[in-house]
Amino acid sequence: MATDYDTPRKTDDELSEDSLEELKARRVDKTAAVVDLDEGDAESLELPGADLSNEELSVRVLPRQADEFTCAKCFLVHHQSQLAYERNGQSICRDCA
């Protein structure tokens, strides 16, 4: 986009006088999005709150390894390199420390 540097610029007072409605309208225009879908694509979309009761999830769960620990605050399994400190037998990760 070309810029015309010869046009008069708004002063700070004029910038602060922009109406709230005008600013909201500009924001809505920028965030408006148009989705272009083919007819066949509509079936593959997942909507929030969709019923997934017929779906099965197959994930292989591995037991905690010897070089891992479970954080006592967030209860996530981390590698030993993420250990911040251990107090009273409870390990705390760097994120929670």
Side-chain angles (χ1 to χ4, degrees):
M1 173 186 254
T3 304
D4 185 7
Y5 292 103
D6 295 329
T7 58
R9 297 183 183 173
K10 288 186 177 182
T11 63
D12 291 337
D13 295 333
E14 292 172 334
L15 288 174
S16 63
E17 292 175 0
D18 285 340
S19 68
L20 183 59
E21 290 79 20
E22 182 181 333
L23 295 173
K24 285 183 181 178
R26 281 192 225 158
R27 184 176 68 186
V28 170
D29 290 341
K30 289 180 183 177
T31 59
V34 177
V35 178
D36 186 21
L37 295 175
D38 294 332
E39 290 181 21
D41 292 342
E43 295 175 4
S44 65
L45 292 177
E46 289 188 27
L47 301 175
D51 181 22
L52 300 175
S53 59
N54 295 337
E55 299 294 323
E56 287 187 26
L57 182 64
S58 59
V59 177
R60 185 172 163 220
V61 178
L62 298 174
R64 187 177 70 205
Q65 304 298 308
D67 61 344
E68 296 176 332
F69 70 96
T70 303
C71 177
K73 286 189 178 181
C74 65
F75 303 106
L76 294 176
V77 176
H78 296 279
H79 187 265
Q80 285 291 358
S81 64
Q82 296 296 314
L83 180 63
Y85 63 88
E86 189 171 342
R87 185 177 298 152
N88 299 333
Q90 295 184 339
S91 301
I92 305 297
C93 69
R94 290 183 183 176
D95 293 334
C96 294

